[in-house]
Amino acid sequence: MARDRKPSRSRHARIAAVSVAALAIGGTALAEVPVSAAGRPKGHDVSSHQKNVNWPKAKSKGATFVYVKATESHTYRNPYYGQQYHGARNAGLVRGAYHFALPHKSWGRTQAAYFVRNGGGWRADGWTLPPALDIEYNPYGKHKCYGLSKARMVSWIKSFSDEVKRRTGRRPVIYTNYNWWKVCTGNSSAFASNHALWLARYGSTAGALPKGWKFWTFWQYDNGGSLPGDQNLFNGSLNQLKKFARG
């Protein structure tokens, strides 16, 4: 997903139930929804890069859901979060918040607490998606696993998840890239049984899933298209999307 801030170096890289999500960066950018996923609810994700979003226009173009970036690490909050998160709901979209993880900056529990305090909450109203953890390649340095061992990364994610569950009652959706997950967690299957998968892969199919997951809940298939921000699909019907949101 897009970062809200400029990297500390000149580099700027890119890389979310009950599980219905998966995607690994790679492949050719698409101009249209993949034929294999046609008919599924269409959505997107946004950050401060999209600024004040025209939500009625997004809905008119077919958006049914959106994930809004709330926080990054334990110090940054998206300054457009309010307009994006509440504006989406006012326009009739199912929406949720996501956190961009920087595991080398502070422990998982610390970042989860900051996230929930600053927009990463959840309520069983059918319009609020569970909080999401965006964990992927390090955009700010050469250590793509943030200097953590595979075991330490798994522990970090568990710490984040446990705190989100304690504070909201839901496990976070996990947004990741198959290749990063394989390299940085050792392709851990520790989260597949109780975390929805939001997989990022730019191509005509979602491709391989991280170990343990049998299907994707959300699939980010492109980083640009008819909707503001990244383009996503939900693996089910609109009624199932709302049921998933309710928990």
Side-chain angles (χ1 to χ4, degrees):
M1 299 187 199
R3 313 299 176 259
D4 281 337
R5 302 177 295 174
K6 291 182 179 179
S8 55
R9 306 178 186 185
S10 60
R11 184 179 173 197
H12 186 84
R14 284 193 42 86
I15 295 240
V18 174
S19 230
V20 243
L23 176 79
I25 297 301
T28 303
L30 304 173
E32 300 175 349
V33 175
V35 173
S36 62
R40 291 173 173 149
K42 187 168 67 169
H44 53 137
D45 60 84
V46 297
S47 70
S48 72
H49 290 298
Q50 283 69 48
K51 299 183 178 180
N52 290 322
V53 175
N54 184 332
W55 292 109
K57 183 177 180 180
K59 187 176 182 181
S60 73
K61 288 181 174 291
T64 59
F65 69 91
V66 65
Y67 263 107
V68 176
K69 181 173 182 177
T71 53
E72 180 174 314
S73 185
H74 62 276
T75 56
Y76 175 83
R77 188 173 188 269
N78 173 11
Y80 295 91
Y81 174 82
Q83 190 277 343
Q84 294 176 346
Y85 188 82
H86 300 299
R89 173 66 185 91
N90 291 338
L93 275 68
V94 181
R95 83 302 191 226
Y98 76 87
H99 172 79
F100 186 78
L102 292 180
H104 62 309
K105 294 293 187 179
S106 53
W107 194 234
R109 180 172 60 185
T110 301
Q111 293 194 26
Y114 182 77
F115 172 46
V116 176
R117 290 197 307 268
N118 290 280
W122 173 78
R123 55 191 301 180
D125 57 4
W127 293 97
T128 308
L129 293 166
L133 170 65
D134 176 357
I135 190 154
E136 53 179 274
Y137 288 104
N138 179 4
Y140 301 120
K142 63 181 180 180
H143 300 296
K144 58 187 174 184
C145 301
Y146 302 91
L148 275 65
S149 68
K150 296 178 178 67
R152 188 72 170 164
M153 184 64 75
V154 169
S155 294
W156 192 99
I157 297 168
K158 184 178 186 303
S159 174
F160 183 96
S161 175
D162 287 349
E163 185 66 10
V164 168
K165 177 67 163 60
R166 187 183 76 81
R167 288 175 175 262
T168 71
R170 292 293 297 267
R171 290 286 181 187
V173 172
I174 294 178
Y175 168 98
T176 197
N177 165 284
Y178 172 77
N179 293 324
W180 182 90
W181 191 264
K182 187 174 180 181
V183 170
C184 296
T185 75
N187 207 15
S188 173
S189 61
F191 305 96
S193 66
N194 57 358
H195 293 72
L197 176 63
W198 182 2
L199 191 62
R201 182 176 188 273
Y202 302 159
S204 59
T205 67
L209 305 182
K211 188 175 180 180
W213 277 288
K214 303 301 182 183
F215 50 87
W216 51 268
T217 298
F218 298 100
W219 171 22
Q220 187 188 91
Y221 63 88
D222 208 339
N223 64 352
S226 62
L227 301 176
D230 303 315
Q231 313 298 292
N232 295 275
L233 294 170
F234 174 76
N235 195 3
S237 67
L238 181 57
N239 283 339
Q240 288 171 322
L241 174 66
K242 291 184 176 182
K243 183 177 180 181
F244 172 65
R246 285 194 301 271

